[in-house]
Amino acid sequence: MAEQESNALVEAHPMNGGDGPNSYAQNSTVQKRDMEAAKEMISEAISKHLDIDPNSFSNPSQPFRIADLGCSIGPNTFFAVQNIIEAAESKFKSIKQKSPQFQVFFNDHVENDFNTLFRSLPSTRKYFATGVPGSFYAPLFPNSSLHIIHLSFALHWLSTVPKDHGNSLCWNKESIYCTGKSKEVADAYFGQFKRDMDLFLNARAEEIVSGGLMCLIMYALPNRVKFSDTLAGYSFELLGDCLKDMAKRGVISEEKVESFNIPQYIPTMNEVKEVIKQNQRFRIVSIGTLENPSSVLTDQMFVGHLRAIVEGVIKNHFGDEMDTDELFSLCLGKLRESCHLFDDEKYLKNINLCIFLKTQE
Amino acid sequence: MAEQESNALVEAHPMNGGDGPNSYAQNSTVQKRDMEAAKEMISEAISKHLDIDPNSFSNPSQPFRIADLGCSIGPNTFFAVQNIIEAAESKFKSIKQKSPQFQVFFNDHVENDFNTLFRSLPSTRKYFATGVPGSFYAPLFPNSSLHIIHLSFALHWLSTVPKDHGNSLCWNKESIYCTGKSKEVADAYFGQFKRDMDLFLNARAEEIVSGGLMCLIMYALPNRVKFSDTLAGYSFELLGDCLKDMAKRGVISEEKVESFNIPQYIPTMNEVKEVIKQNQRFRIVSIGTLENPSSVLTDQMFVGHLRAIVEGVIKNHFGDEMDTDELFSLCLGKLRESCHLFDDEKYLKNINLCIFLKTQE
């Protein structure tokens, strides 16, 4: 077991901790809305696809184990877990079996704020709660120990920014993310996504019980749509413009901005299918897209959301002395100047994929 | 399962977090020394008393699960766990069985600094690490899910200060702890200890697998010795004197000092045996005392150790505005004035008990 060695190679991109105004806990309403949309699909998939062996659950040493990977600090993870438990209880009821005890493993990077997560555990929970520190691109659990694995909106975080074949740190210097405009950059990002997904799927295939269900909720791009043409892409464009402004004013170094890349890749649905198929450990039992209602975000919420997500990677790259208050107030100003933010004609939407997987038997 | 409700009734007494000069991590050498003394006894008990069912471990869904309860933030918990794993590996080897995967549950109060604990996990560990927030006076794990339960130097922390039968907050106003001089106070503390131990033993009896082993390392008093006559008692006397001095100077309120009680009870070996016997869920398979070598603490270490342990309860009672820097520098001054600190004739030693328990079959 080389859990810790593999984990050492993986970069942490924790969401903002605590529960202050810039925290992920206070800035995750977008994900919450999407999770609500996922609720019904998850319940249905558990009812239809989860295999429960009645014999194993009459054994008292077999609690039902659920993992939420990349859980951050709540409250969305508690919502997702509650939904899964209710669906599992219905399933047990439908086969006239008493519900087992539930044990839930909340996983995220070791840099995640587990103290806040633990302190905000719902007081009405009906499960034993545990925290598991470490990257989900490495083994995290004993073999065949999980019945349901859930992961939402986390697999677009790569384990690392893909390296250029040459030595240049600034191989994607025009942009701070994978816009989709340069084939070379997109290929490098997709290559990293594939390598990461292989690590992820191989680890999970060992950890899930036979008959268990894995539910992945992932951002995806519609075919032939570039990331830069989506609302999420727009937020990174905005951020990049503000960083360049700060570099021009000499507040931060130009080279630092050119070498900064957000380690995110948003695949298309076909790319996700291709990667899962090539990996060969899992088969897709069901795949669908979630309702993605129009945004009702205010300017403030839009920037708050962006900040909760990327402030960690920014501080990591630019150092703690970087004035992120200034950066995000610049973003807010620039956003207000541009009047087309919520113009659906101009900015396309991501797709939210909901994929259910079982191991190849 | 009323895990969270029971837990809400229990007070947290976390050791100082982080890894700064006042942290428990930097001030737990006394416990470390005692754990080293326990190492051999634990190895021997695992070899002799742990029942391993070879059939259950040929099942890949049966990792070997170990819990360290009241683990604080390291490094002693890592030392204890490593020792247990090595002993278990030897046991498997001796019966020509391949070692299973190990999963370790680090438990402490929800107020414990799990972030520091997780960041200091040994990089060479060969186990899957998880954190479990919550009081060990309540259920924490699914039934029959643990093979070895370990707990060292934590059961002297009561879940709460015992309440007086009357309404007075200052029923033990002469002292800040259970000195052993007043029968009434000692009875109240022992009553609370018994109630807490019952909660503890009942919860663990459900959680441990049949044939599993529980190892408790506990402070105890020699028969007919008062807590106030021990070195640990002396440190509380010192603390109480300094608090009274601060009250005299008007820095803190006299009533606050009179109503302050450290929720610790140090039982005798006979009391521990009596409580376990009356509870009826476990039987003692082995009991012994650890070598307790003479202290080699400097004044600074002595006060540092005291501070790491009680600063939390002090802040809880007196409020964050209490100047604990002043308090502990007063303690250091008073300690240096008195020259008899390490006079073994005057201050008796605790016994360190090492007790191995199995469930009544």
Side-chain angles (χ1 to χ4, degrees):
Chain A
M1 189 189 323
E3 181 195 356
Q4 56 300 334
E5 289 85 351
S6 323
N7 253 318
L9 302 174
V10 176
E11 293 162 16
H13 321 297
M15 303 298 95
N16 278 351
D19 55 8
N22 299 324
S23 68
Y24 179 77
Q26 298 293 333
N27 289 282
S28 46
T29 46
V30 177
Q31 290 86 344
K32 166 104 203 258
R33 197 193 55 201
D34 295 331
M35 305 263 319
E36 276 165 5
K39 182 175 166 166
E40 204 164 324
M41 286 183 78
I42 292 176
S43 303
E44 200 185 306
I46 288 174
S47 154
K48 210 161 150 185
H49 298 295
L50 177 71
D51 296 335
I52 291 175
D53 174 3
N55 294 324
S56 78
F57 287 99
S58 52
N59 177 344
S61 72
Q62 270 292 346
F64 193 91
R65 295 192 170 92
I66 299 163
D68 188 34
L69 308 182
C71 66
S72 190
I73 55 170
N76 290 341
T77 184
F78 306 131
F79 179 81
V81 158
Q82 189 52 36
N83 181 31
I84 289 169
I85 289 178
E86 282 168 18
E89 282 178 329
S90 293
K91 176 95 184 187
F92 280 99
K93 209 170 168 184
S94 74
I95 58 165
K96 310 229 179 319
Q97 183 88 10
K98 193 171 168 277
S99 276
Q101 294 180 304
F102 291 94
Q103 188 172 32
V104 177
F105 296 84
F106 295 97
N107 156 261
D108 212 319
H109 274 289
V110 70
E111 296 299 322
N112 187 50
D113 186 354
F114 282 94
N115 289 347
T116 296
L117 177 78
F118 286 167
R119 283 166 199 167
S120 49
L121 278 163
S123 62
T124 55
R125 70 187 183 279
K126 287 186 179 164
Y127 52 83
F128 295 105
T130 67
V132 177
S135 164
F136 50 63
Y137 293 125
L140 291 167
F141 302 93
N143 292 347
S144 304
S145 64
L146 298 173
H147 297 85
I148 293 188
I149 298 174
H150 177 268
L151 181 150
S152 67
F153 304 119
L155 281 168
H156 57 294
W157 284 106
L158 302 176
S159 66
T160 184
V161 173
K163 300 290 173 288
D164 178 31
H165 295 297
N167 280 322
S168 165
L169 280 170
C170 307
W171 57 285
N172 181 30
K173 74 177 182 179
E174 295 75 23
S175 190
I176 63 164
Y177 71 109
C178 179
T179 60
K181 290 174 191 161
S182 147
K183 188 173 178 320
E184 195 191 338
V185 170
D187 285 350
Y189 267 87
F190 180 56
Q192 187 63 46
F193 177 74
K194 262 207 279 203
R195 287 189 293 279
D196 285 342
M197 279 295 282
D198 270 334
L199 292 173
F200 174 80
L201 295 168
N202 292 343
R204 299 301 86 76
E206 299 295 331
E207 295 163 359
I208 201 162
V209 300
S210 164
L213 197 63
M214 179 151 78
C215 166
L216 305 181
I217 300 177
M218 297 174 73
Y219 295 121
L221 292 176
N223 285 330
R224 288 181 301 280
V225 165
K226 289 188 184 63
F227 191 15
S228 56
D229 292 332
T230 67
L231 200 58
Y234 172 72
S235 74
F236 289 165
E237 290 290 332
L238 186 75
L239 181 69
D241 287 351
C242 295
L243 285 169
K244 282 172 198 159
D245 285 358
M246 285 174 83
K248 255 180 222 151
R249 285 192 289 116
V251 184
I252 50 178
S253 106
E254 206 151 304
E255 213 214 340
K256 270 276 181 201
V257 176
E258 289 177 352
S259 64
F260 177 56
N261 282 293
I262 297 176
Q264 282 197 2
Y265 182 74
I266 314 285
T268 64
M269 191 199 283
N270 285 341
E271 284 175 336
V272 174
K273 284 183 180 170
E274 176 193 330
V275 166
I276 292 169
K277 196 174 170 191
Q278 282 182 3
N279 171 269
Q280 297 187 329
R281 300 296 300 268
F282 285 90
R283 62 193 163 91
I284 296 175
V285 293
S286 161
I287 185 165
T289 56
L290 301 181
E291 280 289 324
N292 196 349
S294 284
S295 283
V296 286
L297 291 177
T298 63
D299 298 349
Q300 195 84 48
M301 282 164 81
F302 185 82
V303 173
H305 183 242
L306 175 66
R307 180 175 190 160
I309 287 173
V310 297
E311 187 162 18
V313 271
I314 289 172
K315 292 220 161 177
N316 232 356
H317 182 80
F318 290 96
D320 274 340
E321 62 284 7
M322 165 81 169
D323 184 351
T324 47
D325 280 342
E326 184 190 348
L327 173 64
F328 290 102
S329 94
L330 277 177
C331 285
L332 190 60
K334 214 178 258 291
L335 176 63
R336 283 175 177 163
E337 280 166 30
S338 75
C339 297
H340 48 226
L341 172 62
F342 298 121
D343 176 349
D344 277 352
E345 298 294 312
K346 187 162 169 61
Y347 291 105
L348 298 162
K349 287 178 195 159
N350 291 329
I351 298 171
N352 294 329
L353 289 184
C354 191
I355 315 172
F356 297 95
L357 302 160
K358 296 182 80 166
T359 48
Q360 302 277 10
E361 302 297 328
Chain B
M1 191 187 323
E3 180 195 356
Q4 56 299 335
E5 288 85 351
S6 324
N7 252 317
L9 301 174
V10 175
E11 292 162 17
H13 322 296
M15 304 298 96
N16 277 351
D19 54 8
N22 299 324
S23 69
Y24 179 77
Q26 298 293 333
N27 290 282
S28 46
T29 46
V30 177
Q31 290 85 347
K32 168 104 203 256
R33 196 192 56 201
D34 295 331
M35 306 263 319
E36 277 165 4
K39 184 176 165 165
E40 205 164 322
M41 285 183 80
I42 292 176
S43 303
E44 198 185 307
I46 288 174
S47 154
K48 209 161 151 187
H49 297 296
L50 177 72
D51 296 334
I52 291 175
D53 175 3
N55 294 324
S56 77
F57 288 97
S58 52
N59 177 343
S61 72
Q62 270 292 348
F64 193 91
R65 294 193 170 92
I66 299 163
D68 187 34
L69 308 182
C71 65
S72 189
I73 53 170
N76 290 342
T77 184
F78 305 131
F79 179 81
V81 159
Q82 188 52 37
N83 180 32
I84 289 169
I85 290 179
E86 283 168 17
E89 282 179 328
S90 293
K91 176 93 185 187
F92 279 99
K93 209 170 167 184
S94 74
I95 58 164
K96 310 230 182 317
Q97 183 86 12
K98 192 171 166 279
S99 276
Q101 294 180 304
F102 292 94
Q103 187 172 32
V104 176
F105 296 85
F106 294 97
N107 155 262
D108 212 319
H109 273 290
V110 70
E111 296 299 322
N112 186 51
D113 185 355
F114 282 94
N115 289 347
T116 296
L117 177 77
F118 286 166
R119 284 168 198 165
S120 48
L121 278 163
S123 62
T124 56
R125 70 188 183 278
K126 288 187 179 164
Y127 52 83
F128 295 105
T130 67
V132 177
S135 163
F136 50 62
Y137 293 126
L140 291 167
F141 302 93
N143 291 347
S144 304
S145 63
L146 299 173
H147 297 85
I148 292 187
I149 297 173
H150 177 268
L151 182 150
S152 66
F153 304 119
L155 281 168
H156 57 295
W157 283 106
L158 302 176
S159 67
T160 183
V161 173
K163 299 289 174 288
D164 179 31
H165 296 295
N167 280 323
S168 165
L169 281 169
C170 307
W171 57 286
N172 181 31
K173 74 178 184 179
E174 295 75 21
S175 189
I176 62 164
Y177 71 108
C178 178
T179 59
K181 289 175 192 161
S182 146
K183 186 173 178 321
E184 196 191 338
V185 171
D187 284 350
Y189 268 86
F190 180 56
Q192 187 62 47
F193 177 74
K194 262 207 279 203
R195 286 190 292 280
D196 285 343
M197 280 295 282
D198 270 335
L199 293 173
F200 174 80
L201 294 169
N202 293 343
R204 300 299 87 75
E206 298 295 330
E207 295 163 357
I208 202 163
V209 301
S210 162
L213 197 62
M214 180 152 77
C215 166
L216 306 181
I217 300 178
M218 297 173 71
Y219 296 121
L221 291 176
N223 284 331
R224 288 181 299 281
V225 166
K226 289 188 184 62
F227 190 16
S228 57
D229 292 331
T230 67
L231 200 58
Y234 173 73
S235 73
F236 290 164
E237 290 289 333
L238 186 75
L239 182 68
D241 288 350
C242 295
L243 285 168
K244 281 173 199 160
D245 285 358
M246 285 173 84
K248 254 181 225 152
R249 285 192 290 116
V251 184
I252 50 177
S253 105
E254 206 150 304
E255 212 213 340
K256 271 277 182 200
V257 176
E258 289 177 353
S259 63
F260 177 56
N261 282 291
I262 296 176
Q264 281 196 2
Y265 182 74
I266 314 286
T268 64
M269 190 198 284
N270 284 341
E271 284 174 336
V272 174
K273 284 183 180 173
E274 176 194 329
V275 167
I276 293 169
K277 195 173 171 193
Q278 282 182 4
N279 172 270
Q280 298 187 328
R281 302 295 302 266
F282 284 90
R283 63 193 162 91
I284 295 174
V285 292
S286 162
I287 186 166
T289 56
L290 301 181
E291 279 290 322
N292 195 350
S294 283
S295 283
V296 286
L297 291 176
T298 63
D299 297 349
Q300 195 85 48
M301 282 164 80
F302 185 81
V303 173
H305 183 243
L306 175 66
R307 181 175 191 161
I309 287 174
V310 297
E311 187 162 19
V313 272
I314 289 172
K315 292 218 159 179
N316 233 356
H317 182 80
F318 291 94
D320 274 340
E321 64 283 5
M322 166 81 169
D323 183 351
T324 46
D325 281 342
E326 185 191 345
L327 174 64
F328 289 101
S329 94
L330 276 177
C331 285
L332 190 60
K334 214 177 257 293
L335 177 62
R336 283 176 177 163
E337 279 167 30
S338 75
C339 296
H340 50 226
L341 171 62
F342 298 120
D343 177 350
D344 277 351
E345 298 295 311
K346 186 162 169 61
Y347 291 105
L348 298 162
K349 286 178 197 161
N350 291 328
I351 298 170
N352 294 330
L353 289 184
C354 191
I355 314 173
F356 297 94
L357 302 160
K358 296 181 81 166
T359 48
Q360 302 277 10
E361 303 295 329

